[in-house]
């Protein structure tokens, strides 16, 4: 049984958490000495592998090619998910309309079109959206925000 009777407060910033594992992850990712730092932006991480994957966002490198089409990917795991599309295997069913999906995340986004849920709110105005991509389009078009990060907006 987990107990949340102690608040872990970071001594270097305002972050705090009742969960020690979350607190440790914060300290390692935000304040650890000898972190791996991106030479293109302020991103830092605790492993060289994660840094290499991140840098591909800047360089456009996509070393993993699909053998069945022209798509390329920055990670092997992204390629493996993509290959499911070619297999025709769809495990996730929309109970509203009967449409099948390869990924559960795609089904969840699709269900918003049936329910009218708009879980993605603009932090700058009253607008909300059913898909994160629509929110980012709105941020660029209406508010002129070009490089919004999902984790800071959602």
């Amino acid at each position: 049984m987990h107990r949340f009777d102690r608040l872990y407060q970071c001594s270097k910033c305002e972050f705090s958490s009742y969960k020690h594992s979350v607190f440790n992850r914060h300290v390692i990712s935000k304040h650890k000495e000898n972190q791996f730092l991106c030479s293109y932006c302020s991103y830092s991480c605790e492993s060289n592998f994660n840094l290499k994957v991140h840098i591909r966002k800047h360089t456009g490198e996509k070393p993993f090619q699909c053998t069945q089409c022209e798509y390329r990917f920055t990670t092997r795991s992204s390629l493996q998910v993509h290959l499911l599309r070619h297999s025709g295997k769809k495990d996730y069913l929309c109970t509203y309309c009967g449409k099948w999906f390869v990924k559960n995340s795609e089904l969840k986004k699709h269900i918003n079109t049936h329910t009218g849920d708009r879980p993605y709110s603009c932090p700058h105005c009253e607008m909300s959206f059913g898909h994160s991509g629509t929110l980012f389009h709105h941020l660029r078009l209406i508010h002129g925000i070009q490089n919004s990060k999902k984790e800071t907006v959602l």
Side-chain angles (χ1 to χ4, degrees), residues 97-134:
C97 68
K99 186 172 181 180
W100 288 87
F101 295 88
V102 173
K103 295 171 30 180
N104 190 38
S105 60
E106 292 173 336
L107 171 61
K108 288 179 180 179
K109 278 195 274 185
H110 169 77
I111 286 175
N112 288 342
T113 64
H114 295 294
T115 63
D117 286 348
R118 300 167 77 81
Y120 303 98
S121 299
C122 177
H124 304 288
C125 70
E126 301 288 319
M127 296 291 293
S128 62
F129 306 90
H131 297 96
S132 60
T134 311

